[in-house]
Amino acid sequence: MELLQFVISGLATGSIYALIGLSFAIIFNSTGIINFAQGEFVMLGGVLTICAITLLKLPLLAAILAAVAGTTLVGIIFERFAIRPLKNATPLSLIIITIGASILIRGVVMLLFGKDTQALPAFSGTTPIEVGSATLLPQHLWIFGVTILVIIGSRLFFHHTITGKAMRACSFNRRAASLVGISVWRMVLLSFVISSALGSLAGVIIAPLTMTAYDVGVMLGLKGFCAAIMGGMGSGLGTVLGGLILGILESLGAGLLSSGYKDAIAFFILLLILFVRPQGLFKKGETERV
Amino acid sequence: MLRLEGIGKRFGGLTALSGITFSVIEGSITGIIGPNGAGKTTLFNVATGIYPPSEGAVLLGEKNISALPPERRARIGLVRTFQNIELFGKMTVLENVMVGLHTQSKCGFLACSLRMPWQMSEERRIREKALEWLDFVGIPDLADVEAGALPFGKGRLLEIARAMALEPKILLMDEPAAGLNSRETAELAELIKKIRDLGVTVALVEHDMDLVMDICDQIVVLNLGTMLAQGTPREIQENPEVIAAYLGESED
Amino acid sequence: MAKKKKVALKSDKIKFLVFCLVVLLAPLPFAKGYLSNVLIFVGVNSMLALGLNLLLGYAGQISLGQAAFFGLGAYGSGVLTTQFTMNPWLAMVLVAVSVALFAFLIGFPVLKLKGHYLAMATLGVGIIANIAFNETVDLTGGPSGLSGIPNLSIGGFTFDNDLKNYYLVWGFALVAILLSLNLVNSRVGRGLRAIHDSEVAARVMGVNARIMKVQVFTFSALISALAGSLYAHVVTFISPTSFSFAVSVELLTMVVIGGLGSVYGSILGALLLTLLPELLRAFQDFDIIVYGLLLISMTIYLPGGLVRGIPELFRRLVPARRGNA
């Protein structure tokens, strides 16, 4: 049963797309910005972890924490110096700025760490686990585990904490939120913090499976965006489902049709959804933005 | 001229308009008034095709235009101005009016990029036409100013000139007096009458009661998305329901 | 008033003629040197940046997939002339028309989208095209590229050195510039700028925004495809990396630096960004960092681009004189 194997690896990459999709949605919902530099946060997660291990000789866990913290710092700097100076910016200038930030981050990483593709050691070895006719890697379990934890965690955060609720309030209506005393700018900053941390975490847990380099961010970011679009840019289950569906389709497509066109699948789906159902796969009704 | 039949509009679960039915009589000035949130601007958005109605029909003359997009409605003579003047801020005043002449010219991509002789003469014609309209509203001296730099009152006049350039059959004006001082409002009243005298039917949403009572032949009162009353200014002023609706709201 | 406009028209003509003269004389100091090679690419990039600027700077519609049309032009000409030994000029026309038709057809669904969604969709088109260049190995040679594309020739005259190619490419570029200048100062150009400022207001004024956006998208694809064909015949070897997402971003940078909504700004941006990597050759790989910084800082501090920023600076330094932009 090759099929099962495709589904397993599809679910693993799909989980990553889901996490990245969520990180897109968090910034989008609090600012209306689609951050084209999101993929770079993912890349930073993997690359910084490797650096922390090889250069600072940190143990794995500490290295991961350092990488996530480092990426978050980049997220904060980005918000402070590129997003905040522009009040009332048009979508056009925000797109241009986030693209600028994206290639800037990529360029700096390339300069500092080189162009080589590097691998992060798997968290708990590479002994495969037999599941029926297919095999599961321990890293897959890590990915599934972290994804489930993140989903539960974000659900709790956004629905059951004051700060989370305040962030949601901002996404519904910024003006009203600021009128009831919520500091919108703090919420925007917070959304960049959470989003960059989440993105880098996704980058860390996928790095042992796919290797990483300065330029992996573009593709991962775009596919995460595709997941978010499938889920209607919400920060909930829709995006997770979108990511998983995308991951499985990609893995099936690569396995059964042609691996060369694997990346094209995501973009065909992206275009199809944008053209036919821009409100996402799972949402009903009109999304009128006037 | 313009007839709204049973117009309803819902946003999600919210009913913004329901059962709006009235006609704007050719050659008249119709005022649409109502407290804040009565659905006046939404009604204009439905009438001009910016929103599709959830139910009901918009008729221009005999023709049902409910399904036409705004640009098609503009071509057959239904034109509007906006509450928060929507000028093309980075273009000059003259160019703004020339955009208003878009429907009365037809040179396309090829003719324009190749600068065909007939394109040049068409360009001259709409330039002169645009200047005439600037003259009509009284700001010919501002032709080369960037529209975004105009003071609010002049911007309002420009918006009217731009709308008139389409030579509409009916002109919908969304709060034309908002943000104007009393002298400007008085001039506006004269301008609106001048527009009517050109044979253009006018419908306007307005909060300034003095203006409405002064220039309108017919008044429609909306409240909470429904029609409260319809009649001459005199009738409306004496209508107890209208008075109650307005007294319920503090004057602003 | 009318008189004033006539004077302005005349000065536009003079500006264009002066520009033509500069283009004509530019390679003289270098004769056979290395720089004229770079100047050819300035011409190609000018056409590409111009195409993007009409779409982005005038109509306000972003495209992150311009490299796709550039690549389709290049590969179209490359494949037809090498694999099918078609006459290069015929191939160029055929390809330009097909690419324009393609853009026209995808333009309708694509340009219904706005802002970030439009950016992502055009990006998707760009990446799919790039994957296709890589994967259709039988036709394009895949990642290792397509070589042996013939130079263009007319009768017995072959464009086989840098100087000849320079005049060839710039001939096309100047025509594109002239057409664009005509366009932006016309009914169509006003319609496009109106859409940029307020699409709702433009539509209420009877401007058919949908069709106009598709038209300018098509025109921009047409210019890009022609630039691609020329590029293929000039360099005679093409590979997918020349038409990647990075190239689309580079074009965006050119337009932002030169000046959104300015025809000459596109040329200035193309000039700077084509020369810059050559000058920075010693600091290889620095270029994308510089691009990133430029995109961010220009958008924040100089949104009008250099073409407007420099006169502005001048005006501040010499407050007495007021030029006409």
Side-chain angles (χ1 to χ4, degrees):
Chain A
M1 263 305 272
E2 258 189 326
L3 210 61
L4 184 64
Q5 191 64 56
F6 291 143
V7 171
I8 290 175
S9 52
L11 282 175
T13 42
S15 301
I16 300 300
Y17 299 157
L19 291 182
I20 302 169
L22 288 177
S23 71
F24 263 106
I26 289 169
I27 289 183
F28 179 77
N29 284 328
S30 69
T31 60
I33 296 171
I34 290 179
N35 177 16
F36 281 78
Q38 200 67 34
E40 311 311 324
F41 294 155
V42 181
M43 176 272 289
L44 279 174
V47 169
L48 289 181
T49 309
I50 292 173
C51 286
I53 290 176
T54 54
L55 298 177
L56 303 176
K57 310 287 181 217
L58 289 179
L60 183 67
L61 187 64
I64 293 174
L65 289 177
V68 173
T71 309
T72 310
L73 187 67
V74 174
I76 292 172
I77 294 172
F78 174 41
E79 194 276 338
R80 245 0 263 247
F81 291 99
I83 302 296
R84 199 175 295 199
L86 269 181
K87 287 171 187 152
N88 308 322
T90 59
L92 217 56
S93 43
L94 287 170
I95 293 169
I96 294 170
I97 283 183
T98 59
I99 290 176
S102 150
I103 63 175
L104 177 62
I105 294 172
R106 202 181 315 149
V108 170
V109 169
M110 181 177 76
L111 207 66
L112 295 179
F113 305 117
K115 291 183 177 176
D116 297 333
T117 302
Q118 287 168 300
L120 184 65
F123 297 177
S124 4
T126 50
T127 324
I129 307 159
E130 300 282 330
V131 183
S133 57
T135 55
L136 196 64
L137 291 173
Q139 192 64 31
H140 286 139
L141 294 177
W142 275 104
I143 292 175
F144 298 141
V146 169
T147 308
I148 291 169
L149 280 182
V150 166
I151 294 167
I152 295 172
S154 70
R155 178 85 196 170
L156 288 176
F157 174 74
F158 283 111
H159 290 263
H160 298 280
T161 66
I162 292 284
T163 319
K165 285 180 184 167
M167 283 183 73
R168 286 204 302 147
C170 283
S171 77
F172 289 131
N173 189 333
R174 285 175 92 159
R175 226 175 88 78
S178 76
L179 286 177
V180 297
I182 297 171
S183 160
V184 172
W185 279 112
R186 190 174 302 159
M187 293 301 138
V188 170
L189 183 61
L190 191 60
S191 73
F192 272 85
V193 167
I194 298 175
S195 171
S196 49
L198 191 55
S200 63
L201 190 63
V204 174
I205 57 177
I206 190 72
L209 282 184
T210 57
M211 320 268 269
T212 192
Y214 77 101
D215 60 352
V216 298
V218 183
M219 276 294 171
L220 284 172
L222 289 171
K223 289 175 185 171
F225 173 76
C226 184
I229 280 284
M230 288 166 87
M233 285 319 279
S235 47
L237 220 54
T239 299
V240 177
L241 279 176
L244 294 180
I245 294 173
L246 178 61
I248 292 173
L249 283 179
E250 232 185 54
S251 150
L252 287 176
L256 303 176
L257 301 171
S258 141
S259 64
Y261 288 102
K262 190 187 95 187
D263 288 334
I265 293 172
F267 295 103
F268 272 116
I269 296 176
L270 175 68
L271 289 179
L272 207 64
I273 292 179
L274 283 176
F275 294 165
V276 183
R277 280 189 73 83
Q279 75 272 33
L281 288 179
F282 315 107
K283 254 187 210 165
K284 278 189 200 133
E286 54 194 297
T287 45
E288 208 161 351
R289 289 170 199 279
V290 180
Chain B
M1 161 85 358
L2 179 72
R3 179 160 176 77
L4 302 175
E5 267 183 13
I7 295 291
K9 179 68 193 170
R10 285 182 300 277
F11 296 103
L14 186 82
T15 303
L17 292 173
S18 74
I20 308 287
T21 300
F22 67 89
S23 299
V24 177
I25 299 148
E26 184 159 2
S28 74
I29 299 177
T30 298
I32 298 159
I33 62 171
N36 284 324
K40 304 176 300 275
T41 296
T42 306
L43 186 66
F44 266 20
N45 283 338
V46 170
T48 47
I50 291 170
Y51 301 147
S54 306
E55 56 202 34
V58 182
L59 284 85
L60 188 66
E62 297 293 302
K63 197 172 148 81
N64 184 341
I65 59 167
S66 309
L68 295 186
E71 58 270 23
R72 294 279 302 282
R73 296 187 197 201
R75 273 175 193 275
I76 55 174
L78 176 66
V79 179
R80 69 172 288 179
T81 65
F82 293 85
Q83 189 178 341
N84 311 307
I85 50 176
E86 292 265 350
L87 295 171
F88 307 124
K90 294 199 196 93
M91 300 165 70
T92 66
V93 166
L94 187 67
E95 282 176 325
N96 266 269
V97 184
M98 287 169 83
V99 173
L101 288 154
H102 199 87
T103 56
Q104 292 174 51
S105 44
K106 52 176 176 295
C107 277
F109 229 87
L110 265 180
C112 287
S113 56
L114 297 175
R115 194 161 277 187
M116 291 303 188
W118 62 87
Q119 188 256 343
M120 300 292 279
S121 67
E122 181 180 273
E123 189 79 353
R124 260 195 306 280
R125 181 175 64 79
I126 56 181
R127 179 175 303 278
E128 274 156 27
K129 219 36 186 306
L131 279 167
E132 281 171 28
W133 284 116
L134 285 180
D135 214 31
F136 176 78
V137 300
I139 50 170
D141 47 326
L142 298 176
D144 292 326
V145 177
E146 197 171 83
L150 287 183
F152 195 83
K154 302 289 183 205
R156 182 73 78 194
L157 292 175
L158 169 57
E159 207 191 13
I160 293 171
R162 188 181 66 181
M164 286 304 293
L166 282 103
E167 298 187 4
K169 291 193 189 108
I170 175 161
L171 178 62
L172 307 185
M173 305 170 95
D174 195 352
E175 299 201 26
L180 301 188
N181 62 34
S182 57
R183 190 176 53 84
E184 287 171 332
T185 305
E187 286 166 4
L188 177 74
E190 288 315 305
L191 182 59
I192 294 174
K193 286 181 194 162
K194 214 163 101 185
I195 290 170
R196 189 223 14 228
D197 294 342
L198 285 178
V200 178
T201 310
V202 177
L204 50 99
V205 161
E206 191 46 71
H207 274 298
D208 186 323
M209 283 307 146
D210 293 337
L211 177 70
V212 172
M213 296 301 163
D214 172 27
I215 63 173
C216 291
D217 306 302
Q218 180 198 217
I219 292 176
V220 174
V221 187
L222 299 187
N223 191 26
L224 301 172
T226 58
M227 266 181 68
L228 194 63
Q230 178 178 12
T232 63
R234 164 61 67 64
E235 287 164 3
I236 294 298
Q237 273 169 320
E238 290 166 356
N239 186 318
E241 281 181 77
V242 175
I243 295 166
Y246 268 88
L247 285 180
E249 190 197 59
S250 61
E251 198 62 44
D252 51 20
Chain C
M1 206 70 62
K3 206 175 194 177
K4 198 168 174 184
K5 186 64 196 177
K6 241 175 220 159
V7 174
L9 266 179
K10 209 172 204 175
S11 86
D12 281 351
K13 258 182 209 157
I14 294 172
K15 238 193 248 172
F16 181 70
L17 287 176
V18 170
F19 181 73
C20 287
L21 202 67
V22 171
V23 168
L24 197 70
L25 300 179
L28 284 188
F30 312 106
K32 263 187 176 169
Y34 157 74
L35 205 62
S36 61
N37 183 337
V38 177
L39 291 179
I40 298 173
F41 299 125
V42 174
V44 172
N45 285 334
S46 292
M47 290 174 74
L48 294 170
L50 184 60
L52 178 60
N53 209 347
L54 289 175
L55 188 65
L56 177 61
Y58 287 94
Q61 310 297 313
I62 196 164
S63 165
L64 298 177
Q66 290 302 100
F69 303 123
F70 180 41
L72 285 172
Y75 271 107
S77 277
V79 169
L80 288 178
T81 51
T82 56
Q83 317 271 45
F84 300 93
T85 57
M86 189 185 272
N87 175 299
W89 295 104
L90 181 65
M92 188 188 285
V93 173
L94 202 67
V95 168
V97 171
S98 324
V99 172
L101 190 68
F102 171 68
F104 182 75
L105 292 178
I106 65 165
F108 282 96
V110 167
L111 290 159
K112 239 191 213 167
L113 303 166
K114 290 186 172 42
H116 297 99
Y117 289 82
L118 176 64
M120 281 292 182
T122 50
L123 177 50
V125 171
I127 291 189
I128 291 174
N130 199 253
I131 292 172
F133 300 148
N134 270 305
E135 295 300 324
T136 49
V137 179
D138 292 345
L139 280 176
T140 63
S144 46
L146 182 67
S147 58
I149 303 166
N151 282 129
L152 284 164
S153 57
I154 302 175
F157 183 82
T158 307
F159 293 91
D160 55 2
N161 69 24
D162 283 346
L163 200 64
K164 291 178 191 165
N165 276 320
Y166 170 88
Y167 287 113
L168 170 74
V169 168
W170 273 101
F172 275 84
L174 286 175
V175 172
I177 292 165
L178 182 63
L179 294 185
S180 304
L181 283 171
N182 288 345
L183 200 63
V184 299
N185 291 314
S186 72
R187 171 177 182 269
V188 173
R190 281 190 300 273
L192 293 175
R193 284 183 284 155
I195 293 170
H196 190 172
D197 274 354
S198 166
E199 185 166 337
V200 172
R203 292 182 65 188
V204 170
M205 290 302 118
V207 175
N208 192 331
R210 207 162 144 227
I211 300 278
M212 283 199 119
K213 286 196 281 187
V214 173
Q215 281 178 332
V216 72
F217 185 66
T218 307
F219 186 63
S220 130
L222 180 76
I223 298 180
S224 308
L226 282 174
S229 294
L230 291 170
Y231 175 79
H233 290 299
V234 169
V235 298
T236 70
F237 167 79
I238 52 176
S239 73
T241 48
S242 310
F243 316 104
S244 64
F245 174 50
V247 175
S248 292
V249 172
E250 208 173 303
L251 294 174
L252 178 71
T253 316
M254 290 176 192
V255 171
V256 169
I257 289 176
L260 285 162
S262 157
V263 169
Y264 291 111
S266 324
I267 317 303
L268 180 64
L271 177 72
L272 289 177
L273 250 71
T274 317
L275 291 182
L276 190 71
E278 301 296 327
L279 299 176
L280 289 182
R281 195 151 280 235
F283 313 93
Q284 224 179 6
D285 298 340
F286 262 112
D287 48 353
I288 68 168
I289 298 180
V290 175
Y291 294 171
L293 284 173
L294 282 174
L295 277 178
I296 298 175
S297 52
M298 294 290 291
T299 309
I300 297 177
Y301 300 109
L302 208 62
L306 287 179
V307 90
R308 284 189 206 84
I310 293 172
E312 183 65 27
L313 212 67
F314 233 75
R315 218 167 296 158
R316 253 182 249 168
L317 294 176
V318 195
R321 276 197 62 208
R322 277 206 55 191
N324 221 330

